Amino acid sequence: MTFTAPRGVLGRIGAIAALATALALLAAPPASADEADDRLTIMRAAQVGAPAAAGGDVTAQQTDGGCSTDPGGDVVDDRDDDAPATHANNDRADIVEHCASYVGNLVLQVTVAEPTNPRADPAWQDATFVGWFLDTDGDDVGDYFASYNLNADGNLVTEVQRIETPTAAVICGNAPAVYDGTSYTAGPIPPECLDGETSVSVSAAVFYDAEGEGGPLLHDTAPDAGAFPDPVAQSTDCANALPAPFADRASIAAAHVNAVDCIYARGVTLGTNNAQGVRHFLPLLAIPRGQFAAFAHRALVTTDTALPDPQTPRFTDVDEGFTFDMEIHELAAADILLGVTPQEFRPHQQIRRDQTASVLVRSLAHARDAAVTPSAPGTHFSDTVGNVHADNIDAAFEEEMVQGVVAPSAGNGRLYVPAAPTSRQQMASVINRFIDNVEGS
């Protein structure tokens, strides 16, 4: 995926771009300016009193954890400029809930009464889309416009336009867009796409082009009549993260689910698409060493930690052009990755839990520019004695980045199980704790 942004912010955006490449997400070029402006024009027309003209009222919203409900049965049909707007009974355009969170990056979600897969529903090939006005200066007028749509190549994309200027400009042409079978999710949208604004109020709308050009263009706004709810402030508190839009989120262990939500919001992982374009996380899958290196690299970028230029070729088994070549060799240049041997990294081999701890501790030492050592080595886990990574495991435990697998009980010590592979859901927790540690959360 490709973001368009000022040169000074390319580091963080580049991490998200690398993430998309790493997970083989479908590339999607930005829409033309005309297409983006068409959606903006439709959104502006709908947000100016259309529900009231059809007999609707501005309705108080019930906010809970960044989400607000929207009354049912208030879909409007006003495609014909010469006819008054009328109510229409169409659940595919009827907003049930709309949500926004700003945990590092902005994530927007809309749920309708009868969601459809944009890749399978032909209506999405026309004027069907989800749009948001984003007010960043508190005047209840949109300063940015974000639209979630299916582009000409049949790929989901979120575009962000700056609209407070006389000429609207697409400043982020290809932010993530996800459909999980229930909700439409735009983001994570980096703050650079909003010129670094740290607070935003969100007004949402859904447009459903039921019959194509000439037919009704059904829509619902939330809050009604284009109102703006209270602003959402940027934070590092993962409790404010929305549920990550993974179709298999229910299979993530309870101990790790909030961490998965948070690293999605932080832009560390976007999951992976299946053949139908539905995003999954695959929580129980063991992580190869190359992928874990990429996650560690993204975590460092998220915390604005500088890394040296790639040390290429440090490892003879990581060829130039390998998916994670840059990430592996930048971490190697920072002495965060030492390899299985001085010449071999073995990127396709599963990373073990003891190796994970060493990568975390060396990453933390690099972020702090100071050594990270345990204060009480050899006292935390009963199964790491003699392990080459034992001190790093203890240091990672003391820094609250790892927790072990089995807590101590009468007559037994805490277990770390150092030789076990690291799963993707475990990765989410340790990477999330690492970011919290660096940011002081």
Side-chain angles (χ1 to χ4, degrees):
M1 71 183 63
T2 303
F3 290 101
T4 303
R7 180 179 297 272
V9 301
L10 289 180
R12 186 169 184 183
I13 291 175
I16 299 179
L19 171 60
T21 302
L23 298 177
L25 302 180
L26 296 174
S32 69
D34 287 344
E35 290 173 328
D37 287 344
D38 285 347
R39 288 190 295 275
L40 175 58
T41 299
I42 292 171
M43 179 89 169
R44 278 178 168 153
Q47 294 285 66
V48 182
D57 297 318
V58 177
T59 307
Q61 305 297 299
Q62 298 174 355
T63 303
D64 180 22
C67 293
S68 300
T69 60
D70 187 71
D74 58 346
V75 175
V76 173
D77 170 16
D78 63 354
R79 186 166 202 160
D80 187 348
D81 293 337
D82 297 325
T86 58
H87 279 303
N89 183 18
N90 190 297
D91 286 343
R92 295 183 177 185
D94 198 355
I95 298 174
V96 173
E97 184 179 60
H98 58 106
C99 307
S101 72
Y102 204 176
V103 180
N105 300 288
L106 181 65
V107 177
L108 307 168
Q109 288 181 349
V110 164
T111 302
V112 298
E114 186 183 341
T116 64
N117 188 338
R119 294 176 183 268
D121 182 356
W124 283 86
Q125 299 173 9
D126 299 309
T128 299
F129 68 98
V130 183
W132 294 266
F133 278 141
L134 310 176
D135 172 29
T136 58
D137 59 12
D139 63 356
D140 290 335
V141 176
D143 303 300
Y144 299 85
F145 172 59
S147 64
Y148 166 115
N149 62 92
L150 198 69
N151 72 0
D153 292 337
N155 298 317
L156 281 172
V157 62
T158 298
E159 296 149 1
V160 181
Q161 291 175 263
R162 185 189 295 110
I163 58 174
E164 77 273 23
T165 54
T167 302
V170 176
I171 58 175
C172 286
N174 192 10
V178 183
Y179 174 71
D180 64 358
T182 301
S183 301
Y184 308 114
T185 300
I189 299 170
E192 291 83 5
C193 295
L194 305 177
D195 297 317
E197 298 285 357
T198 58
S199 180
V200 59
S201 294
V202 180
S203 179
V206 170
F207 300 85
Y208 191 77
D209 198 3
E211 299 176 15
E213 187 173 354
L217 182 59
L218 309 171
H219 68 82
D220 187 12
T221 59
D224 287 340
F228 284 88
D230 293 337
V232 178
Q234 189 181 34
S235 75
T236 59
D237 186 355
C238 288
N240 296 327
L242 296 177
F246 299 129
D248 58 349
R249 183 177 178 274
S251 65
I252 301 170
H256 301 290
V257 68
N258 182 248
V260 174
D261 294 341
C262 194
I263 64 168
Y264 181 87
R266 284 171 159 166
V268 175
T269 183
L270 300 181
T272 183
N273 279 340
N274 66 9
Q276 291 73 44
V278 177
R279 200 72 55 86
H280 290 74
F281 182 69
L282 308 177
L284 300 180
L285 196 67
I287 295 183
R289 290 167 51 82
Q291 274 192 9
F292 190 83
F295 286 121
H297 185 278
R298 293 168 202 149
L300 286 163
V301 172
T302 295
T303 59
D304 295 322
T305 301
L307 287 163
D309 292 335
Q311 192 179 77
T312 305
R314 166 72 177 268
F315 301 116
T316 58
D317 58 348
V318 181
D319 297 330
E320 185 175 354
F322 175 70
T323 304
F324 309 115
D325 170 37
M326 179 195 74
E327 291 91 336
I328 289 170
H329 283 112
E330 282 192 359
L331 295 185
D335 291 327
I336 292 171
L337 299 182
L338 305 182
V340 177
T341 73
Q343 293 80 35
E344 291 186 341
F345 182 69
R346 301 181 190 174
H348 301 293
Q349 191 176 87
Q350 293 176 353
I351 191 167
R352 303 184 335 186
R353 288 172 50 82
D354 52 2
Q355 296 167 337
T356 298
S358 285
V359 173
L360 292 169
V361 168
R362 294 188 201 115
S363 296
L364 186 60
H366 179 78
R368 291 179 177 175
D369 194 23
V372 177
T373 57
S375 61
T379 63
H380 301 302
F381 299 101
S382 62
D383 60 348
T384 60
V385 177
N387 187 293
V388 68
H389 302 278
D391 280 355
N392 284 337
I393 294 170
D394 289 336
F397 177 75
E398 291 179 8
E399 294 288 348
E400 299 183 352
M401 295 188 294
V402 303
Q403 295 180 339
V405 173
V406 179
S409 58
N412 295 296
R414 182 185 298 270
L415 299 180
Y416 186 74
V417 193
T422 301
S423 69
R424 287 174 57 84
Q425 61 183 3
Q426 292 169 338
M427 173 280 300
S429 286
V430 299
I431 290 292
N432 205 48
R433 293 185 203 124
F434 167 82
I435 295 173
D436 283 345
N437 190 308
V438 175
E439 294 184 338
S441 300

